[in-house]
Amino acid sequence: MLTRRHLRIKVMQAVFAFQKQRPDELKDLEKFLNTSMTQTFVLFLYMVQLLIEIHKLAEQRHKLATERFTGSDAVKNPSRALIENKVLVELSKSPAIKEALRKRKLDPWHLDSAYVERLYEKIIMSKEFVVYASQENESIKKDQSFINTIFSEIIAPSDELMDYLEDANITWTDDYPLVNTEMIKFIRKVKVDKEIKLPELVKDPDDIKFAMDLFRRTVLNMDELWARVDGKTPNWDSERIAQIDSVLIMMAQCEFLYFPSIPVKASLNEYLEISKDYSSPKSSVFINGILDNLLKQFQQEDMINKIGRGTL
């Protein structure tokens, strides 16, 4: 789920916080970084459980409708399409999902059912649902396609939902696109009567160690890393460099100097791409110029020691 780029972004946020606070100890910020990483999976569980709660609400509404003694047949016998959707059925009965929620003591949407109700109403009133409910052929692919459609076009774009999640956890703002992409892939893998396998937070456990090491090395060597920038910014006072830019420049230096298995080009490209999303429009060009000058200095002074093929 979390790629190296996403981990770098989380480290960037922690280093930025360090610059603002300058605490005597790193424990609190290390805890913040670790929590920020693990909370990405919690957000994923929130989104999975949201689909389950929508399914549960569909069952409740259907039961109430069928118990009415007045009204048209359409009112008394509403469509069971959402209730019988195979993806939602499998998610609702999955032991793996129930255990993941129990283990983390999560009960999302229990006290915030209004969000579930409003999304449910949007779904059943949508043209996508009308078309889906009118199709007679039944298949897991049809059900997957429908769930992915409503997730992509109704649930994920909901400003109300995004605001709610941001209030619940500020780091989820950056995690939201990643988790939504993961949800689409996850839904496509759901099979009838087959055990659901939840995604791993990271593909390689060493990725978590990489993030923690990058954070520690950046903040512990911050003064030295920043001192090298002086003289590399002609016509620009180093104190006027945007704080996010300064963090990215220092983190990139760290990878050049202290992470021998990561290719220089890979580190350079990653930080330039991050700057395009988190800094000013011209920042990537500015950062590229500084890092290019620093790399020339490091190579001249034989400071870069990379191991393995393709690491230079």
Side-chain angles (χ1 to χ4, degrees), residues 169-184:
N169 189 318
I170 188 63
T171 65
W172 283 352
T173 303
D174 293 306
D175 293 337
Y176 196 64
L178 166 68
V179 168
N180 288 339
T181 300
E182 192 67 36
M183 281 290 297
I184 297 299

Side-chain angles (χ1 to χ4, degrees), residues 7-8 10-16 18 22-23 25-35 37 205-225 247 250-251 253-255 258-259 271:
L7 291 171
R8 287 180 174 98
K10 291 186 177 297
V11 173
M12 176 192 73
Q13 293 166 338
V15 174
F16 185 88
F18 175 85
R22 287 285 180 166
E25 295 187 5
L26 298 182
K27 289 182 179 179
D28 287 344
L29 285 174
E30 287 176 337
K31 184 178 179 181
F32 165 79
L33 174 57
N34 188 63
T35 299
M37 291 186 284
D206 285 344
D207 286 347
I208 299 295
K209 182 178 183 300
F210 158 76
M212 299 303 296
D213 287 347
L214 179 59
F215 171 70
R216 294 187 185 110
R217 285 186 177 275
T218 302
V219 298
L220 292 176
N221 295 283
M222 185 170 286
D223 292 339
E224 178 185 344
L225 294 168
V247 169
M250 288 187 290
M251 289 173 61
Q253 285 188 71
C254 255
E255 290 196 28
Y258 306 129
F259 291 80
Y271 288 106

Side-chain angles (χ1 to χ4, degrees), residues 87 132 140-150 187:
V87 173
Y132 170 72
I140 184 67
K141 288 186 177 180
K142 168 195 165 186
D143 291 350
Q144 288 171 331
S145 178
F146 171 69
I147 296 300
N148 271 336
T149 297
I150 63 168
I187 291 166

Side-chain angles (χ1 to χ4, degrees), residues 33-286:
L33 174 57
N34 188 63
T35 299
S36 176
M37 291 186 284
T38 57
Q39 283 293 306
T40 303
F41 187 71
V42 172
L43 175 58
F44 175 81
L45 291 175
Y46 262 64
M47 302 307 286
V48 172
Q49 186 65 14
L50 178 57
L51 290 178
I52 294 172
E53 290 299 315
I54 289 172
H55 183 247
K56 186 185 298 183
L57 181 59
E59 291 180 321
Q60 293 170 352
R61 293 288 179 88
H62 186 274
K63 182 179 179 181
L64 288 174
T66 55
E67 289 175 349
R68 291 174 179 162
F69 293 98
T70 60
S72 65
D73 287 341
V75 171
K76 291 189 291 183
N77 299 289
S79 170
R80 290 182 55 83
L82 201 59
I83 298 171
E84 295 174 355
N85 181 281
K86 296 175 179 60
V87 173
L88 297 182
V89 170
E90 293 299 323
L91 294 180
S92 297
K93 69 181 186 180
S94 168
I97 294 173
K98 292 177 182 178
E99 175 60 18
L101 292 167
R102 186 202 64 77
K103 183 178 179 181
R104 292 164 180 79
K105 299 179 180 179
L106 296 176
D107 189 14
W109 315 112
H110 174 65
L111 298 177
D112 301 295
S113 59
Y115 295 94
V116 178
E117 293 169 2
R118 286 193 282 272
L119 286 171
Y120 168 80
E121 295 294 342
K122 287 182 180 180
I123 290 168
I124 63 171
M125 294 299 292
S126 69
K127 62 180 181 181
E128 290 83 5
F129 178 73
V130 173
V131 172
Y132 170 72
S134 66
Q135 295 172 339
E136 294 184 0
N137 62 307
E138 297 182 3
S139 70
I140 184 67
K141 288 186 177 180
K142 168 195 165 186
D143 291 350
Q144 288 171 331
S145 178
F146 171 69
I147 296 300
N148 271 336
T149 297
I150 63 168
F151 187 86
S152 300
E153 298 183 12
I154 297 176
I155 297 175
S158 169
D159 291 334
E160 184 181 37
L161 178 62
M162 291 175 68
D163 290 342
Y164 165 76
L165 293 170
E166 183 178 355
D167 288 342
N169 189 318
I170 188 63
T171 65
W172 283 352
T173 303
D174 293 306
D175 293 337
Y176 196 64
L178 166 68
V179 168
N180 288 339
T181 300
E182 192 67 36
M183 281 290 297
I184 297 299
K185 294 190 290 185
F186 176 68
I187 291 166
R188 288 175 182 156
K189 294 178 182 178
V190 174
K191 304 296 180 184
V192 176
D193 293 330
K194 288 197 175 182
E195 183 179 350
I196 287 178
K197 185 177 180 181
L198 295 171
E200 299 289 343
L201 178 62
V202 290
K203 290 183 178 179
D204 187 341
D206 285 344
D207 286 347
I208 299 295
K209 182 178 183 300
F210 158 76
M212 299 303 296
D213 287 347
L214 179 59
F215 171 70
R216 294 187 185 110
R217 285 186 177 275
T218 302
V219 298
L220 292 176
N221 295 283
M222 185 170 286
D223 292 339
E224 178 185 344
L225 294 168
W226 190 239
R228 294 196 185 97
V229 178
D230 283 334
K232 303 294 189 302
T233 55
N235 304 319
W236 192 261
D237 187 342
S238 61
E239 293 183 358
R240 293 172 57 203
I241 297 176
Q243 193 167 3
I244 287 293
D245 292 356
S246 71
V247 169
L248 295 176
I249 290 168
M250 288 187 290
M251 289 173 61
Q253 285 188 71
C254 255
E255 290 196 28
F256 295 158
L257 298 173
Y258 306 129
F259 291 80
S261 64
I262 301 178
V264 166
K265 186 175 291 187
S267 297
L268 181 61
N269 290 339
E270 285 290 281
Y271 288 106
L272 294 180
E273 289 301 313
I274 292 172
S275 71
K276 292 176 184 178
D277 290 332
Y278 288 87
S279 198
S280 65
K282 296 182 179 179
S283 285
S284 62
V285 176
F286 175 71

